Amino acid sequence: MTDAAFTPRVFSGIQPSGGLTLGNYLGALKRFVEMQDAGTFECVYCMVDLHAITVWQDPEELRKNTREAAAAFIAAGIDPARSILFNQSQAPEHAQLAWIFNTVARMGWMGRMTQWKDKAGKNSENASLGLFAYPALMAADILAYHATHVPVGEDQKQHLELTRDIAAKFNHDYDVDFFPITEPVIEGPATRVMSLRDGTKKMSKSDPSDMSRINLTDDADTISKKFKKARTDPEPLPETYAELKDRPEARNLVDIFAALSGVSTDAVMAEHGGAGWGQFKPRLAEVAVEKMAPMTDEMNRLMADPGEIDRILGEGAGRAREIAAPILAKTYDIVGLIASK
Ligand code: AMP
Ligand code: TRP
């Protein structure tokens, strides 16, 4: 069976382990909406709460963050009638398939994951077993839907390679052509949005400094303040993008500007090359506020009715399970597990 035999289907997920950032929006959400609107894919988007709890989450915060992430998806343009939107734990097939993949994946593969090494750090003896097995659950998320395409930011590339390895090893070991070899979709000018305080670190919801990121819930004043205080070198913007090569903070702000305004980085340089930060940063803040304020307003409106968000997630989970349940049943059968008829 070739991959052309599979329905074109997109799966992607975001951890509700904190409020979402501009990095999540530009690297992930914006792409999710484009793939939905392209009309060529069935799209399945998931708040991966089971992944979030691989590191400690306060239960009430987790619930709030899950609803807030769902609100962000909808505010960004995901239509729950056209795409499937749900939280992972409501579709038990993810955890069930992940167990099978725990038996397929090898310890050595997991140990080489940079996210594991970064998150577990020197204290890996004390990290949760779930954090180590995280990529097998991620492979299950994707493969429970036979997803063919997975839009993500640059940091997820290695996990997607592992997903392909798991699919290939399963197909090989059981001598089947059952799981597709999924294509990562890592595209656009902002697949890696960096911290506003340190141009060598990615912008992250878990960074201790709130000034390092733009949260999707930040108001206009906060957004302006954060961009104005963003760390840069003292030089003005050069004339060409290539000259930003060794200036990570400056390049990051240009990338953000391009991604938010939907133009190429060359177009940004053509217009702003030679400008000082006193000129460029306020302009960037303006563009960001213009783009983000309507989204933040919509998120707040949706968050005022958590019952409605829960209804949407429950309905999405029902539709997700209709796809995942038969794929899981077939997997059990291939493996030799006896299932009730
Ligand atoms: P996470 O917040 O780690 O669950 O990430 C959810 C999605 O957002 C994944 O596709 C990530 O690759 C993407 N993402 C997270 N942070 C960034 C960032 N700073 N720049 C670009 N994409 C990001
Ligand atoms: N690991 C991803 C991240 O931290 C989140 C995720 C979980 C995911 N399952 C997924 C992304 C499946 C894409 C597809 O960003």
Side-chain angles (χ1 to χ4, degrees), residues 201-339:
K201 278 197 341 208
K202 76 163 187 171
M203 182 180 287
S204 163
K205 52 179 106 115
S206 54
D207 193 299
S209 161
D210 194 58
M211 291 301 283
S212 72
R213 64 177 158 263
I214 306 287
N215 303 300
L216 295 190
T217 48
D218 283 345
D219 60 24
D221 285 349
T222 312
I223 293 175
S224 298
K225 190 177 86 196
K226 285 179 176 176
F227 275 125
K228 285 178 193 156
K229 295 215 162 145
R231 180 150 153 210
T232 47
D233 52 44
E235 301 299 318
L237 280 177
E239 294 300 328
T240 64
Y241 188 71
E243 292 166 79
L244 288 169
K245 190 166 132 317
D246 298 318
R247 298 174 60 187
E249 281 92 6
R251 192 178 63 217
N252 187 39
L253 296 186
V254 169
D255 287 344
I256 293 175
F257 193 106
L260 278 172
S261 46
V263 300
S264 68
T265 48
D266 286 341
V268 176
M269 299 314 290
E271 192 180 340
H272 299 278
W277 295 112
Q279 269 172 290
F280 185 73
K281 283 178 169 178
R283 192 64 201 106
L284 171 60
E286 240 172 69
V287 171
V289 168
E290 199 181 290
K291 186 84 197 168
M292 294 173 67
M295 207 157 70
T296 309
D297 290 348
E298 177 65 1
M299 266 175 81
N300 289 335
R301 191 186 68 74
L302 292 161
M303 284 299 283
D305 188 356
E308 173 61 8
I309 295 181
D310 291 0
R311 193 197 61 74
I312 291 171
L313 293 177
E315 200 251 347
R319 284 160 60 208
R321 297 190 69 187
E322 280 174 27
I323 304 174
I327 291 175
L328 179 73
K330 180 72 188 158
T331 310
Y332 273 25
D333 185 49
I334 291 170
V335 171
L337 307 175
I338 296 174

Side-chain angles (χ1 to χ4, degrees), residues 11-15 24 48 51 88 115 119 134 137-139 141-142 150-152 155-156 159-160 202:
F11 182 96
S12 199
I14 287 193
Q15 297 189 66
N24 292 128
V48 290
H51 276 111
Q88 189 185 29
Q115 185 168 305
K119 282 199 173 178
Y134 180 114
L137 177 59
M138 180 159 163
D141 296 340
I142 296 165
V150 180
V152 281
D155 61 330
Q156 294 303 310
H159 284 158
L160 291 184
K202 76 163 187 171

